[in-house]
Amino acid sequence: GWTNPWQVPTHFAPGLEAKELWDPASFLLTQVLEENWRLIHEDLLKVVDDFKVNITGEYELVDRGSWSQFLLTDSDAEGVIFTPGVCARTPNVCRLLDPVRNPDIEYAARVDGKAFSGTVAFARLDGGTHLIPHTGTNNRRLTLHLPLNTALGAKMFVGANETVEWKEGKVVVFDDSFIHSVKHTGTEPRYILHVNFWHPDLLRKSESKAATTEL
């Protein structure tokens, strides 16, 4: 069961390190995305008129204002796949997250032989928007935000006392199984690239298991 009143996902895997915010510098994925954030911003501009309002689970996250996404991925039996046709419009994101071209990034990792079926999306948060406190479905993943257009007044609150203010080109990594909410008191839209990837403890267990098998 749950061990922290702020970490209450629908599906809880015990034994995984639990903290609201993670050091972005500890992930190779951070380096890859930060070094190329302007190219990713070019992809955003190609799809910025095609965002759709998103409903997560069985409830609407938006208390007021507008939050929308442009999804780049879908999932099949093997895990995550880029939605057919999307990569023609967002070639930089697809290239950077391609597990064949960049096999060492966390997003490309497989756990127990399965690729991660998490979301890759551009997300827009309009001024005046409030996203109600909510959690992700499980604690087996982490969530990365790469800010592409920041806006004054946009903040995310994670767990008991962590506050995030996005800065263009600077990655934020957090555990969305902790209760979190977003408030944007400004007027300009905020855009990010949103990426989910396996929890590091699961990656280490998978690597250890693979090494033992090779012995």
Side-chain angles (χ1 to χ4, degrees), residues 8 13 16 62-63 145 161 178 193:
V8 290
L16 301 180
V62 180
D63 178 47
H145 284 177
N161 52 22
F178 283 85
L193 178 72

Side-chain angles (χ1 to χ4, degrees), residues 6-9 135-139 141 175-180:
W6 288 93
Q7 188 184 31
V8 290
T135 68
T137 56
N138 68 81
N139 65 322
R141 69 183 185 189
D175 185 337
D176 78 347
S177 68
F178 283 85
I179 296 172
H180 56 286

Side-chain angles (χ1 to χ4, degrees), residues 44 46-52 68-73 86 89-90 119-124 193:
L44 167 67
K46 296 174 185 176
V47 300
V48 73
D49 293 329
D50 296 322
F51 278 57
K52 292 181 171 60
S68 54
Q69 290 187 325
F70 181 88
L71 290 169
L72 281 73
T73 53
V86 163
R89 304 179 68 191
T90 60
T119 298
V120 177
F122 290 117
R124 169 180 171 135
L193 178 72

Side-chain angles (χ1 to χ4, degrees), residues 1-163:
W2 302 326
T3 57
N4 184 319
W6 288 93
Q7 188 184 31
V8 290
T10 306
H11 304 287
F12 181 76
L16 301 180
E17 183 176 0
K19 56 185 177 182
E20 294 93 332
L21 301 182
W22 290 68
D23 179 9
S26 63
F27 302 103
L28 179 59
L29 185 57
T30 293
Q31 178 183 340
V32 169
L33 295 181
E34 287 189 347
E35 287 179 352
N36 294 279
W37 80 270
R38 293 186 186 279
L39 291 175
I40 296 170
H41 187 270
E42 291 178 8
D43 285 357
L44 167 67
L45 295 179
K46 296 174 185 176
V47 300
V48 73
D49 293 329
D50 296 322
F51 278 57
K52 292 181 171 60
V53 173
N54 189 70
I55 296 176
T56 300
E58 298 179 352
Y59 58 90
E60 177 65 72
L61 292 180
V62 180
D63 178 47
R64 62 178 178 271
S66 176
W67 175 69
S68 54
Q69 290 187 325
F70 181 88
L71 290 169
L72 281 73
T73 53
D74 201 345
S75 58
D76 63 10
E78 294 297 318
V80 71
I81 58 171
F82 282 97
T83 304
V86 163
C87 289
R89 304 179 68 191
T90 60
N92 296 307
V93 175
C94 292
R95 173 177 56 82
L96 293 168
L97 296 182
D98 185 341
V100 176
R101 294 185 180 184
N102 290 306
D104 295 327
I105 61 172
E106 292 81 7
Y107 185 75
R110 302 177 77 88
V111 171
D112 295 332
K114 183 180 179 183
F116 184 60
S117 56
T119 298
V120 177
F122 290 117
R124 169 180 171 135
L125 184 78
D126 284 345
T129 298
H130 176 212
L131 304 186
I132 63 175
H134 60 285
T135 68
T137 56
N138 68 81
N139 65 322
R140 289 167 57 85
R141 69 183 185 189
L142 295 182
T143 299
L144 177 150
H145 284 177
L146 174 67
L148 301 171
N149 272 97
T150 54
L152 290 175
K155 295 181 181 181
M156 177 170 63
F157 306 92
V158 187
N161 52 22
E162 297 287 358
T163 301

